[in-house]
Amino acid sequence: MADDDRAVDDIAATRALVRGVGAGGLAGLLRALHTSVGADAVIIDVTGNTLASIPPREMWDLELIRSGTKHHGLTVRDIFVGGEHAGRVAARLPADAERLVELVAELAGVELRRMLEAVEVRREIALGLIEDILQRRLSDGDATSRLEALGVDARSPHRVLVGSVQPTESRGAQLALRLRQLAPDPFLRVRHGEFELLVVPDDSMTERIAAMFLRQLQALGTGARVGVSRPRGGAGNLRASYYEAVTALESGAGVHHPGRVNLGDLLLFTSNEVPIVEIAGQVLQPLAEYDAATGSELVATLRGYLEEDRDIVAVTARLHIHRNTLRNRLQKIEELLGIDLKSSREIANFWFALRALDEIRQPVRRVS
């Protein structure tokens, strides 16, 4: 008879847990467990972040739970999503109810998968908006209204934070990154190419947000860095803010702010209508063709000449050539391009052409 009573209790508890997670997610799942057997419980992800707790403000030893160490009075079970370890559930409950923790872990895994899928949908919508703004596919008015729908007051000054990290190459690390995105985030946050992007209000909390952002990235891999733009208002200025934050990343690991604006780089980044890279290839095409036909190094010579600020000693040392060889190459460059390398206008023009080709990290190529 006792076994029959236990079976009835198990069925009732199972139904309560299923209803709880369906109605209230992870928090509802733990409330149902608490109501059914009086258990205090917590669910954490693989990074130790608390996803749900009952009581809500209970102080748990998260490192102990994360390590999986057995502890008297605490029942711990692993949570899996798609076969990958996603976190743990820990509960203090009567010994005869420990079997329910396994079910809680299974239901938590199902709920985490559902939550991750919902986050992906929301982030795809936000990413589409960011790309539309960066590519100038929206008017400022449309961009402003769509940003407001996502909780961003584009009319007020804001900053763009761009983060980058070399993540651990494992499915587990990728899952950890996705799980971190489940935490409630008051800011617009998307993954744009190799960067994680945040749009935050310009206030006294900016530096703390940037530091927190950096710590999150550091937990996921190596070389974590964050670039912070200057404050700007208006949806259209989001593009310039994004550029500033990306260029600030070049300073290396840590949190960095932009230095002096490089107008040439800014033009490269913001110009969509003019095919600057293709035009740069055409401008330098005579040198590229001559190099291909003769085995010379005129493109490299021009690059070295400009990057070394036309210092003959520095250029010859860099290219390992005699100064007469350099003089002959410069004359050939002037002849092929029809320019005078003493002209500041020509120097600026060809410096920009070389910089445009650097931007896409590919050699000069013939443009039809």
Side-chain angles (χ1 to χ4, degrees):
M1 188 67 179
D3 289 342
D4 291 341
D5 290 341
R6 173 174 291 183
V8 171
D9 290 343
D10 284 353
I11 292 173
T14 299
R15 288 175 175 170
L17 293 175
V18 172
R19 286 196 300 269
V21 71
L26 296 178
L29 175 63
L30 295 190
R31 284 195 298 269
L33 179 66
H34 183 77
T35 300
S36 297
V37 295
D40 293 345
V42 64
I43 294 174
I44 66 170
D45 65 20
V46 287
T47 64
N49 182 46
T50 300
L51 300 178
S53 175
I54 187 75
R57 299 186 182 278
E58 180 73 6
M59 298 297 293
W60 296 92
D61 189 338
L62 299 181
E63 284 303 315
L64 179 69
I65 297 171
R66 185 183 176 190
S67 68
T69 304
K70 292 184 178 180
H71 183 69
H72 179 69
L74 197 64
T75 301
V76 180
R77 294 291 184 272
D78 290 326
I79 299 171
F80 293 91
V81 174
E84 292 292 329
H85 184 223
R88 288 191 169 92
V89 56
R92 290 191 289 262
L93 73 178
D96 61 353
E98 288 184 358
R99 63 195 179 280
L100 293 178
V101 181
E102 195 71 44
L103 176 59
V104 170
E106 292 179 10
L107 291 173
V110 173
E111 176 63 9
L112 281 175
R113 178 188 288 275
R114 185 200 66 77
M115 292 169 65
L116 288 169
E117 291 173 350
V119 166
E120 288 300 320
V121 171
R122 291 196 299 271
R123 297 226 167 182
E124 283 298 320
I125 294 173
L127 175 59
L129 172 57
I130 292 297
E131 289 183 338
D132 284 345
I133 292 173
L134 295 181
Q135 298 299 323
R136 285 181 173 169
R137 292 194 286 256
L138 294 174
S139 68
D140 283 359
D142 288 342
T144 297
S145 61
R146 288 178 59 181
L147 283 168
E148 287 178 348
L150 293 175
V152 177
D153 180 7
R155 296 181 178 86
S156 299
H158 57 259
R159 292 179 188 255
V160 171
L161 278 59
V162 173
S164 177
V165 67
Q166 293 294 326
T168 304
E169 294 298 328
S170 70
R171 291 179 60 193
Q174 295 171 11
L175 178 60
L177 176 60
R178 295 175 63 205
L179 288 170
R180 277 197 172 275
Q181 298 171 355
L182 293 178
D185 200 334
F187 313 117
L188 178 63
R189 181 169 182 165
V190 300
R191 183 77 179 175
H192 185 256
E194 62 182 295
F195 302 126
E196 191 84 6
L197 179 150
L198 275 75
V199 180
V200 304
D202 176 43
D203 56 30
S204 59
M205 293 293 293
T206 300
E207 293 304 318
R208 293 181 61 183
I209 294 170
M212 177 189 68
F213 189 23
L214 179 66
R215 288 194 297 272
Q216 291 178 354
L217 295 174
Q218 288 171 334
L220 301 173
T222 60
R225 46 191 177 150
V226 173
V228 183
S229 77
R230 294 178 175 85
R232 290 184 177 85
N237 284 326
L238 193 67
R239 302 174 72 248
S241 296
Y242 175 72
Y243 163 77
E244 279 190 340
V246 170
T247 55
L249 289 178
E250 297 177 2
S251 299
V255 176
H256 299 282
H257 295 260
R260 184 177 59 190
V261 175
N262 185 313
L263 294 179
D265 286 354
L266 182 60
L267 180 58
L268 280 173
F269 182 82
T270 58
S271 178
N272 298 313
E273 292 79 10
V274 179
I276 290 179
V277 173
E278 288 76 7
I279 293 173
Q282 290 177 333
V283 167
L284 294 168
Q285 189 167 303
L287 303 187
E289 291 179 341
Y290 187 85
D291 284 348
T294 65
S296 61
E297 298 180 338
L298 296 187
V299 173
T301 299
L302 179 60
R303 182 186 299 278
Y305 184 66
L306 298 182
E307 289 184 353
E308 298 295 342
D309 297 323
R310 294 167 287 166
D311 183 326
I312 299 299
V313 174
V315 178
T316 54
R318 169 173 171 164
L319 300 177
H320 306 291
I321 59 176
H322 192 272
R323 63 172 55 225
N324 289 337
T325 302
L326 175 60
R327 185 179 297 110
N328 292 335
R329 288 186 184 181
L330 294 177
Q331 289 175 351
K332 177 57 71 173
I333 289 171
E334 290 181 324
E335 175 188 330
L336 291 172
L337 297 179
I339 64 171
D340 180 358
L341 285 175
K342 297 183 181 66
S343 166
S344 297
R345 177 179 296 179
E346 298 291 9
I347 289 172
N349 184 42
F350 285 94
W351 168 262
F352 185 69
L354 289 166
R355 181 65 187 88
L357 294 173
D358 288 343
E359 182 67 18
I360 59 171
R361 295 182 174 87
Q362 66 183 39
V364 176
R365 68 191 191 283
R366 184 178 182 85
V367 180
S368 58

